[in-house]
Structure formats: C-alpha cells, structure tokens
C-alpha cells in the first residue's frame, strides 16, 4: 500500500506493523497491564453522538485555533513520543518538519533521539519542548535553561510518570534495560529486513541526545539510556518542582498528565498557562479514566479561557470535534504519527496529519459548523428523559454552570 492510499489512521498502523519487528511495533502500540485503559480511551468517544444542523451555509469552513499567542491551521498536534529514532532514523526531525508543513504543534519529547537544539531550527514556530523532572535538581534547572536558550514557544512538563508502569508487551519482548536481543527477537526481526538494515547501518539503539550532555564524555547510546533510567521516573516530584520551573521559565508553561480537577485548579494558581489532559495514552495507570470523561470537570475547574489540550485515544476527526464540544481547545495524538513515520518517513507523518485535518473539516460540514471555535455542547446529542445519560448532557446540566461560577 502506497502511503497516499491510506484512508484512515488504522491503515498507517497496518503499514507500520508490516515494516517494524514486533519488539518495535509493540513498544508503540502497547499499554499497561491488561490494556483496558487503551480500550477505555476509544470507548469514551464512542459513547457520544454529534447532532447535525442542516440548511446552513458551510461552503467555507475554518478549523484554525490560537494557542499561546500563535495561530495554527488545525486543532491537532503531535504528542511527545520517546525513542522515535528506533522506528526510523531521524524520525523526530521528520515529525518536526511534518508539523511545520501542516502548521500544527509538535511536542518534542525530552526522551526523543533528536535534541531540542537540533529539532527547533527545523520548525521554530511549531516545536514545543516536553520535559520530565528528574531526581537531579541541577539537571532539571539545566533543561529549563536550555529551553530558555533555544526558545521553543511552549515548555511542557509531564507529571504522570511517578514510577515505571507494567508494560507487559515490552517485558515479553525483552524491551528493557539492558536491551536484550534474544534469538527469538532476532529471528522475528529478520522478517523486516528494511528495518534491520537501517538499525545496523545507524549503529543500533539510537542516542537520546537530550541526555547526552549529562553523561560522561564518550558515553555510548546504551550508557546514556541507562543514565536516563536512573534519573527518571522521579517519584519525589511535587508541586514545588512546578513552582520552580514557573519561576525560571518566562514563556508559556503547560502541564501534561493532570486528570483531577483539584490538580487543575492548583496548576492555575501556580500560574500555568495551559493543560494537556492525558492518561499517557493508556501506558501508565491501566485503571485510569479516559481524558475525555474527565474533560468537563477539568474545564469547569479552570474556567473557559485556559487552553486545555486533549491527549490519548484520538483517532478520528470526529473525536476532535467531540472533545471541543466537551471543553477542549484542541487535541494531540502520538501513535498515529509514529506509525506514519515508521511506514514512510516524513511523508507518513504528513499523511497522518492530513487525514485528521480532512476528517475534522468533513465533520464540521456534516454538522453545520463553519468555525471550529464555535463548537459547543449544542452540537452533542442529549438523550430524551428516560434514556441513558451521557457525559454530553452532563456538560450542559452540571459543567457549564460550574464554569460560570468559577469565572465569577
């Protein structure tokens, strides 16, 4: 299948599965424990229906959004994803270029293989930098200092990895430190010769370049990965770390991974400029609710104006429209663009973004909405009395009054 013949994001997943060995594909595709959270993320969207309005002029439609002082072409973006270079060399740089061409944000992970300093020149208006706080305060301070020097538009701090999760697919495949290329893994990988040749040609496990400055001079990629594993996760991270970053970072600051409305309120009190509501794509707490289900309460907690970006489980343009109706400003996704770049490099990532943009546009026309910014709960179907209630009706009856109360 040519990448341009992919008609939805699942096609990109199938293409990537053909090209990647199981150990790499499962790293992208898998979740924690029984992977119930993965299913829950999708089921949350399936519980909602959009109520179309017809006989409206929708010949012109605008899906642009403004985030932190900049206009983007679509309400979509690329979530931070680590080790993308394992799936295709220079994948992070390809993702940055695809985001630039589509005029959407790319959240470069600190666990990426490309460094912030390498990725930002490719897309200076589109690369945001995502970091984890480590157990070393000096390194935390230096990551923020490097961001100040490089000047990404937005600094994103992920807070939803206090400890490593139980990702059973990775454990079964031997994807752990130290990396074990067992005979079974090698034999299965040989069925994907293109990936094997690239892996060998580029020297094996790619370097995590954001962390190389903190390793001894001459450290190998494996040694840098081991260092990263000793610094993160950092279970001692708390609100004081966010306060310290807020004091040091002059630009837009976003916290990623909060799911409780009280935590959202505390973030606002500390001066955070936006939130990414996320359960880490179902890769951390398998018993966590979907971000879509907690979204109305999160919006009520912070008021109407603070940008809230939805992450986890987004696979269709209708998902993004539904999220907007429930209070999100925009949405991001990570697995689809990883599958795209694994399948066809920058063209594959661009195809993922194009498919989502096209679907958002089509859904807006179908429901009679000319401007993405105008979407609200009135476009969601609310069941009649006696029918099962959904989160859609909850937004109008419980959330919107609370939003007004918060705004006071």
């Amino acid at each position: 299948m040519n990448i341009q013949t992919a008609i939805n994001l699942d096609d990109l997943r199938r293409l990537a599965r053909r090209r990647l060995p199981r150990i790499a594909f499962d790293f992208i595709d898998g979740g924690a424990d029984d992977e119930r959270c993965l299913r829950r993320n999708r089921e949350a969207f399936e519980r909602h229906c959009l109520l179309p309005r017809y006989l409206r002029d929708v010949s012109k439609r605008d899906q642009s959004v403004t985030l932190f002082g900049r206009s983007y072409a679509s309400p979509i973006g690329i979530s931070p994803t680590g080790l993308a270079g394992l799936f295709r060399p220079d994948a992070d740089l390809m993702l940055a270029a695809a985001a630039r061409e589509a005029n959407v944000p790319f959240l470069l992970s600190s666990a990426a293989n490309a460094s912030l300093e390498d990725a930002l020149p490719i897309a200076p208006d589109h690369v945001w930098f995502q970091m984890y706080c480590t157990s070393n305060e000096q390194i935390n301070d230096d990551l923020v200092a490097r961001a100040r020097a490089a000047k990404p538009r937005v600094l994103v701090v992920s807070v939803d990895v206090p400890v490593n999760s139980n990702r059973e697919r990775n454990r079964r495949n031997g994807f752990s430190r130290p990396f074990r290329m067992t005979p079974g893994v090698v034999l299965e990988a040989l069925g994907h010769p293109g990936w094997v040749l690239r892996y060998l040609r580029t020297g094996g496990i790619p370097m995590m370049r954001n962390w190389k400055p903190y390793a001894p001079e001459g450290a190998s990629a494996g040694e840098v990965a081991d260092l990263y594993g000793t610094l993160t996760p950092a279970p001692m991270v708390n609100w004081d770390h966010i306060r310290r970053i807020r004091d040091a970072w002059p630009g837009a600051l976003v916290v990623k991974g909060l799911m409780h409305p009280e935590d959202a309120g505390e973030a606002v009190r500390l001066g955070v400029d936006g939130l990414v509501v996320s359960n880490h794509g179902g890769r951390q707490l398998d018993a966590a609710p979907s971000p879509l289900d907690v979204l109305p309460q999160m919006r009520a907690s912070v008021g109407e104006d603070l940008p809230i970006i939805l992450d986890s489980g987004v696979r269709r343009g209708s998902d993004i429209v539904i999220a907007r109706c429930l209070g999100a400003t925009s949405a991001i996704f990570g697995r689809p663009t990883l599958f795209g770049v694994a399948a066809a490099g920058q063209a594959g990532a661009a195809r993922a973004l194009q498919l989502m943009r096209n679907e958002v546009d089509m859904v807006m026309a179908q429901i009679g909405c000319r401007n993405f910014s105008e979407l609200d709960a009135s476009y969601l179907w609310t069941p009649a009395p006696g029918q099962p209630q959904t989160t859609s009706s909850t937004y109008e009856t419980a959330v919107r009054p609370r939003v007004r109360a918060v705004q006071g």
Side-chain angles (χ1 to χ4, degrees), residues 383-394:
Q387 290 183 288
Q389 294 292 300
T390 67
T391 308
S392 308
S393 58
T394 301

Side-chain angles (χ1 to χ4, degrees), residues 395-408:
Y395 184 79
E396 279 301 305
T397 59
V399 174
R400 189 171 290 279
R402 289 172 60 191
V403 170
R404 295 193 187 103
V406 169
Q407 289 181 310

Side-chain angles (χ1 to χ4, degrees), residues 322-337:
I322 289 167
R324 172 64 183 175
C325 292
L326 288 170
T329 309
S330 64
I332 56 177
F333 44 87
R335 287 182 177 93
T337 43

Side-chain angles (χ1 to χ4, degrees), residues 266-325:
E266 180 63 19
V268 171
R269 285 188 286 274
L270 290 180
V272 166
D273 300 294
L275 301 175
V276 177
V277 179
S278 169
N279 60 23
H280 215 92
R283 295 166 70 83
Q284 281 304 116
L285 177 63
D286 198 28
S290 75
L292 191 74
D293 283 342
V294 303
L295 174 60
Q297 290 180 315
M298 297 292 277
R299 172 54 72 194
S301 179
V302 303
E304 293 275 11
D305 297 330
L306 190 87
I308 294 182
I309 301 168
L310 187 86
D311 172 65
S312 302
V314 175
R315 296 294 181 271
R316 286 285 186 181
S318 56
D319 298 342
I320 296 167
V321 171
I322 289 167
R324 172 64 183 175
C325 292

Side-chain angles (χ1 to χ4, degrees), residues 50 222 228 356 379:
L50 291 164
Y228 175 76
M356 290 297 273
Y379 286 95

Side-chain angles (χ1 to χ4, degrees), residues 13 26-41 43 166-170 172 281-283 285-287 335:
R13 180 179 179 273
D26 279 355
F27 179 81
I28 302 174
D29 198 57
D33 296 335
D34 298 312
E35 301 189 346
R36 292 177 299 163
C37 195
L38 287 179
R39 297 190 293 273
R40 197 176 299 120
N41 286 345
E43 290 167 356
N166 179 32
R167 300 179 188 176
E168 294 183 357
R169 288 205 223 181
N170 291 354
R172 289 193 179 96
R283 295 166 70 83
L285 177 63
D286 198 28
R335 287 182 177 93

